């Protein structure tokens, strides 16, 4: 869970404070996707803590949303009702397509109009969002269940590293899920391809992108050949050794391979040679939406 506090008094959102709590709800979900009682309790406690911290920063508007793990849970209503009853805050559940649209809006604001017709990719824990557009809003947006965490649990299980057949199965699944979307992206002929999310950022760092200490405005790119090499490297290492690679964090080391396979497959099928890494994503898209709503 992440709390982002921003000042919306200017022309663009200005971040002033960020706080994170690592819940790892995806690791607690039951085989059918249900959230067990422990996960719901963790979620509710984290939301309560976030509300308290937001209050300490004099936050006047609090917009809370849940992503794929909660959105896809069969007992989603139970989890949301519990959070509301115990914290007084209603978690908003957005569809993957809405998330993709907000992420596109954020990427457009960051990249500017010179990016031209643009496709945006965002790999999360539960889903992959894709959006294409020529203006502020996307012409089309899609969400497919190709999240790095979801695929790791389904295809790799406790294998560390997974067998080659499991990696091949992830690639085949990605190819199947992306076939129609990729054909449309190719037909639109995007001038710029943009990638957001921690998965892409960590893969970019692994493949040689400048580190975070060089600032957010340094150009960072991730190439298809670089991703192909990353897949080979990650597939041959257990999670503990992946975490020693540049950019790959310990908590995300297990799912980094699945993320790399999906990323490489997406670029290959869409005919993209590289993506530009963008630090703005769905949260910034929400902030921009709030900013636009209050601007005459």
């Amino acid at each position: 869970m992440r709390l982002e506090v921003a000042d919306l008094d200017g022309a663009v959102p200005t971040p002033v404070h960020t706080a994170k709590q690592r819940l790892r709800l995806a690791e607690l979900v039951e085989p059918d996707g249900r959230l067990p009682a422990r996960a719901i309790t963790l979620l509710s406690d984290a939301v309560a803590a976030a509300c308290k911290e937001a209050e300490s920063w004099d936050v006047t508007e609090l917009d809370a949303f849940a992503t794929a793990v909660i959105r896809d849970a069969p007992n989603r209503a139970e989890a949301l009702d519990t959070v509301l009853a115990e914290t007084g805050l209603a978690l908003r559940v957005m569809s993957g397509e809405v998330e993709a649209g907000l992420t596109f809006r954020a990427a457009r604001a960051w990249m500017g109009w010179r990016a031209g017709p643009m496709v945006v990719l965002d790999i999360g824990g539960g889903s992959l969002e894709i959006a294409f557009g020529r203006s502020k809003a996307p012409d089309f947006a899609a969400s497919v269940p190709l999240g790095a965490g979801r695929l790791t649990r389904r295809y790799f299980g406790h294998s560390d590293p997974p067998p080659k057949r499991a990696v091949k199965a992830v690639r085949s699944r990605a190819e199947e899920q992306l076939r129609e979307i990729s054909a449309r992206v190719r037909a639109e002929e995007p001038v710029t391809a943009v990638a957001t999310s921690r998965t892409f950022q960590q893969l970019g760092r692994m493949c040689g992108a400048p580190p975070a200490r060089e600032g957010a405005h340094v150009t960072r790119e991730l190439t298809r050949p670089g991703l192909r090499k990353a897949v080979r490297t990650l597939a041959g290492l257990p999670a503990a050794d992946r975490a020693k690679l540049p950019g790959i964090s310990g908590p995300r080391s297990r799912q980094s391979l699945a993320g790399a396979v999906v990323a490489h497959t997406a670029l290959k099928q869409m005919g993209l040679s590289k993506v530009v890494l963008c630090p703005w994503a769905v949260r910034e898209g929400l902030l921009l939406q709030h900013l636009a709503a209050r601007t005459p």
Side-chain angles (χ1 to χ4, degrees), residues 138-162:
D139 297 333
F140 76 87
S143 178
V144 288
L146 293 175
R150 182 195 298 267
L151 295 175
T152 297
R153 294 191 300 275
R154 178 174 178 180
Y155 291 96
F156 297 165
H158 297 293
S159 301
D160 189 25

Side-chain angles (χ1 to χ4, degrees), residues 9-287:
D9 286 338
V12 296
T14 303
V16 295
H17 176 67
T18 297
K20 298 179 182 179
Q21 297 183 64
R22 192 172 300 283
L23 302 184
R24 299 186 181 179
L25 296 183
E27 298 177 11
L28 300 176
V29 296
E30 297 173 354
D32 64 353
R34 292 178 63 85
L35 291 165
R38 179 189 173 197
I40 295 175
T41 298
L42 284 173
L43 174 63
S44 185
D45 290 347
V47 171
C51 289
K52 185 175 181 180
E53 184 153 6
E55 184 179 355
S56 73
W57 282 85
D58 297 324
V59 170
T60 57
E61 297 178 55
L62 191 56
D63 189 356
F65 70 96
T67 51
V69 171
I70 298 171
R71 180 174 67 226
D72 297 341
N75 61 333
R76 178 181 77 187
E78 176 191 351
L80 298 178
D81 288 346
T82 300
V83 171
L84 178 60
E86 296 187 1
T87 70
L89 182 66
L91 286 181
R92 188 149 60 101
V93 178
M94 298 183 290
S95 69
E97 290 75 15
V98 170
E99 281 192 36
L102 288 169
T103 300
F104 181 92
R105 181 173 188 158
R108 173 63 78 190
W110 182 269
M111 298 295 298
W113 293 108
R114 66 188 299 272
M118 185 174 75
V119 62
V120 178
L121 309 177
D122 184 340
I123 299 176
S127 58
L128 162 65
E129 274 72 54
I130 306 111
F132 170 85
R134 294 176 171 81
S135 61
K136 286 185 178 180
D139 297 333
F140 76 87
S143 178
V144 288
L146 293 175
R150 182 195 298 267
L151 295 175
T152 297
R153 294 191 300 275
R154 178 174 178 180
Y155 291 96
F156 297 165
H158 297 293
S159 301
D160 189 25
K164 291 182 179 179
R165 66 178 181 276
V167 178
K168 185 176 180 180
V170 170
R171 187 178 297 280
S172 296
R173 180 64 173 169
E175 290 172 348
E176 176 188 352
Q177 291 278 317
L178 290 171
R179 189 169 292 118
E180 292 185 8
I181 298 171
S182 296
R184 181 164 184 183
V185 170
R186 289 197 305 272
E188 298 287 0
E189 299 183 342
V191 171
T192 305
V194 179
T196 71
S197 78
R198 291 291 294 166
T199 295
F200 271 114
Q201 290 170 6
Q202 292 196 5
L203 290 170
R205 181 70 189 101
M206 176 185 169
C207 294
R213 65 175 178 272
E214 294 191 18
H217 296 281
V218 173
T219 299
R220 294 175 172 86
E221 297 180 340
L222 179 56
T223 67
R224 198 164 88 198
L227 276 170
R228 184 173 62 245
K229 183 178 179 181
V231 170
R232 290 198 300 266
T233 300
L234 293 168
L237 297 173
D241 289 338
R242 293 178 200 162
K244 299 175 184 177
L245 297 171
I248 305 299
S249 67
R252 292 177 179 266
S253 59
R254 286 201 70 248
Q255 66 183 49
S256 60
L257 172 57
V261 172
V262 170
H264 180 258
T265 303
L267 264 65
K268 183 177 181 180
Q269 290 205 171
M270 294 177 191
L272 306 174
S273 61
K274 66 179 181 180
V275 290
V276 179
L277 301 177
C278 173
W280 279 15
V282 64
R283 293 177 186 84
E284 287 74 19
L286 273 172
L287 291 172

